[in-house]
Amino acid sequence: MELPTGAGWVRPVSEVSARINAGESLGLVGESGSGKTMLSLALMGLLPPGARVRGEATLAFESTAIQLTGLAERDWCDVRGGKIAMIFQEPMTSLNPVLRIGAQIEEAIRAHPPQRNSGEVKRKAIDSLRLAAIPEPEIRAEQFPHQLSGGLRQRAMIAMALSAGPRLLIADEPTTALDVTVQKQILDLLDRLRRELKLGLLFITHDLAVVAEVADRVAVMYAGRIVEEGPAHEVLAKPRHPYTQGLLKASPTRKRGALTPIPGTAPQLAALPPGCAFEPRCELRREECTAAVPALRVIDPAHAARCILV
């Protein structure tokens, strides 16, 4: 993927390959600016004007396969929300402040087939709120976003995302700005829904503790590339890329005392180093790290890392 900027074309996402099966959760981890959200926007057909995309992205379910790359906007209208839905990280800015919660969910339902009469649409909206574990859904449907707590607003966003029956759900840091108790409730809800509804779940976060709660597999992104991917328990217990190791050392735990930050800052996309993008910050760097971008090296059939030390 390439975007035009004043400094020329930049690649916020490059050489990314991933697969999410029905009922499976993939955690996408990385610092701000690593390309996580841009990847999700590409899957939703919401890229900025002028963006160029190469490669293939396929959504396959039952006997249907949809090639997302190159879809016309009229075709995206059916896919977006109906086949792939997204939960954004700040519900207060994603919800319309002057429309009732129920009316916003009904709008999402009407945008996708099958077409229903007004009574059916209203019942479907209430069912979606109930599915998102919102208490008293009939009352909440008549309220405005400012009348709900942060946790209920996020549940309303989940209800809206599920209302048209998508097969892939993208959650972009859905627990940001929520207190710990509510965060745990939202994580448990998403985990239950993807199992019960057989949804593919792409969970985007910078919090490794959150990944451990919801993800079957983890993909770690840095400077637009996936630098490590594997089963969540294996990547978090035995990380093989220095960047993943650095993220874990910088994450607070009950056992660890002082945190060890990763030195330096992430590189600008317009000025990436010729070799490994993490090399300037890596304590294990070698001279050959500057020669070329490392390939994704297979550690075992389910675990790989983009590092010459693997």
Side-chain angles (χ1 to χ4, degrees), residues 33 84 93 112 175 179 201 250 270 286:
I84 306 174
T93 57
H112 301 93
T175 56
D179 63 53
L201 175 63
R286 304 287 188 271

PDB file of all heavy atoms in Angstrom, residues 33 84 93 112 175 179 201 250 270 286:
ATOM      1  N   GLY A  33       1.629   4.342  14.681  1.00  0.00           N
ATOM      2  CA  GLY A  33       2.330   4.618  13.436  1.00  0.00           C
ATOM      3  C   GLY A  33       2.932   3.401  12.776  1.00  0.00           C
ATOM      4  O   GLY A  33       3.600   3.519  11.749  1.00  0.00           O
ATOM      5  N   ILE A  84     -17.855  -7.234   6.224  1.00  0.00           N
ATOM      6  CA  ILE A  84     -16.760  -6.855   7.126  1.00  0.00           C
ATOM      7  C   ILE A  84     -17.223  -5.633   7.913  1.00  0.00           C
ATOM      8  O   ILE A  84     -17.676  -4.650   7.322  1.00  0.00           O
ATOM      9  CB  ILE A  84     -15.476  -6.503   6.358  1.00  0.00           C
ATOM     10  CG1 ILE A  84     -15.061  -7.632   5.420  1.00  0.00           C
ATOM     11  CG2 ILE A  84     -14.343  -6.201   7.333  1.00  0.00           C
ATOM     12  CD1 ILE A  84     -13.877  -7.292   4.534  1.00  0.00           C
ATOM     13  N   THR A  93     -16.934   9.732  19.317  1.00  0.00           N
ATOM     14  CA  THR A  93     -16.740  10.445  18.059  1.00  0.00           C
ATOM     15  C   THR A  93     -17.241   9.630  16.864  1.00  0.00           C
ATOM     16  O   THR A  93     -17.343  10.162  15.763  1.00  0.00           O
ATOM     17  CB  THR A  93     -15.248  10.780  17.851  1.00  0.00           C
ATOM     18  OG1 THR A  93     -14.486   9.568  17.887  1.00  0.00           O
ATOM     19  CG2 THR A  93     -14.751  11.701  18.948  1.00  0.00           C
ATOM     20  N   HIS A 112     -28.239  -2.734   4.178  1.00  0.00           N
ATOM     21  CA  HIS A 112     -27.835  -4.035   3.657  1.00  0.00           C
ATOM     22  C   HIS A 112     -29.033  -4.962   3.501  1.00  0.00           C
ATOM     23  O   HIS A 112     -29.981  -4.900   4.278  1.00  0.00           O
ATOM     24  CB  HIS A 112     -26.806  -4.681   4.588  1.00  0.00           C
ATOM     25  CG  HIS A 112     -25.576  -3.865   4.776  1.00  0.00           C
ATOM     26  ND1 HIS A 112     -25.433  -2.965   5.812  1.00  0.00           N
ATOM     27  CD2 HIS A 112     -24.436  -3.781   4.039  1.00  0.00           C
ATOM     28  CE1 HIS A 112     -24.265  -2.371   5.709  1.00  0.00           C
ATOM     29  NE2 HIS A 112     -23.639  -2.839   4.651  1.00  0.00           N
ATOM     30  N   THR A 175     -10.952  -0.930  23.591  1.00  0.00           N
ATOM     31  CA  THR A 175     -11.004  -0.712  25.039  1.00  0.00           C
ATOM     32  C   THR A 175     -10.232   0.530  25.479  1.00  0.00           C
ATOM     33  O   THR A 175     -10.052   0.749  26.666  1.00  0.00           O
ATOM     34  CB  THR A 175     -10.442  -1.942  25.775  1.00  0.00           C
ATOM     35  OG1 THR A 175      -9.116  -2.215  25.316  1.00  0.00           O
ATOM     36  CG2 THR A 175     -11.310  -3.166  25.521  1.00  0.00           C
ATOM     37  N   ASP A 179     -12.236   2.036  31.802  1.00  0.00           N
ATOM     38  CA  ASP A 179     -11.569   1.580  33.016  1.00  0.00           C
ATOM     39  C   ASP A 179     -11.376   0.066  32.967  1.00  0.00           C
ATOM     40  O   ASP A 179     -11.953  -0.628  32.130  1.00  0.00           O
ATOM     41  CB  ASP A 179     -12.333   2.014  34.273  1.00  0.00           C
ATOM     42  CG  ASP A 179     -13.719   1.400  34.359  1.00  0.00           C
ATOM     43  OD1 ASP A 179     -13.832   0.167  34.254  1.00  0.00           O
ATOM     44  OD2 ASP A 179     -14.690   2.158  34.549  1.00  0.00           O
ATOM     45  N   LEU A 201     -12.031 -12.483  13.878  1.00  0.00           N
ATOM     46  CA  LEU A 201     -11.828 -11.250  14.643  1.00  0.00           C
ATOM     47  C   LEU A 201     -10.398 -10.761  14.467  1.00  0.00           C
ATOM     48  O   LEU A 201      -9.442 -11.475  14.789  1.00  0.00           O
ATOM     49  CB  LEU A 201     -12.122 -11.492  16.129  1.00  0.00           C
ATOM     50  CG  LEU A 201     -11.829 -10.315  17.082  1.00  0.00           C
ATOM     51  CD1 LEU A 201     -12.722  -9.123  16.743  1.00  0.00           C
ATOM     52  CD2 LEU A 201     -12.038 -10.745  18.535  1.00  0.00           C
ATOM     53  N   ALA A 250       8.868  -3.671  28.037  1.00  0.00           N
ATOM     54  CA  ALA A 250       8.315  -2.343  28.327  1.00  0.00           C
ATOM     55  C   ALA A 250       6.875  -2.400  28.834  1.00  0.00           C
ATOM     56  O   ALA A 250       6.285  -1.360  29.119  1.00  0.00           O
ATOM     57  CB  ALA A 250       8.385  -1.469  27.073  1.00  0.00           C
ATOM     58  N   ALA A 270       8.912   7.974   5.375  1.00  0.00           N
ATOM     59  CA  ALA A 270       9.584   8.553   4.208  1.00  0.00           C
ATOM     60  C   ALA A 270      11.102   8.429   4.294  1.00  0.00           C
ATOM     61  O   ALA A 270      11.804   8.785   3.352  1.00  0.00           O
ATOM     62  CB  ALA A 270       9.192  10.022   4.053  1.00  0.00           C
ATOM     63  N   ARG A 286      23.514  -6.360  13.964  1.00  0.00           N
ATOM     64  CA  ARG A 286      24.769  -6.793  13.341  1.00  0.00           C
ATOM     65  C   ARG A 286      24.987  -5.953  12.094  1.00  0.00           C
ATOM     66  O   ARG A 286      24.075  -5.292  11.601  1.00  0.00           O
ATOM     67  CB  ARG A 286      24.693  -8.274  12.964  1.00  0.00           C
ATOM     68  CG  ARG A 286      24.370  -9.221  14.102  1.00  0.00           C
ATOM     69  CD  ARG A 286      25.555  -9.379  15.046  1.00  0.00           C
ATOM     70  NE  ARG A 286      25.302 -10.428  16.036  1.00  0.00           N
ATOM     71  CZ  ARG A 286      24.724 -10.232  17.208  1.00  0.00           C
ATOM     72  NH1 ARG A 286      24.295  -9.002  17.521  1.00  0.00           N
ATOM     73  NH2 ARG A 286      24.536 -11.221  18.056  1.00  0.00           N
TER      74      ARG A 286
END
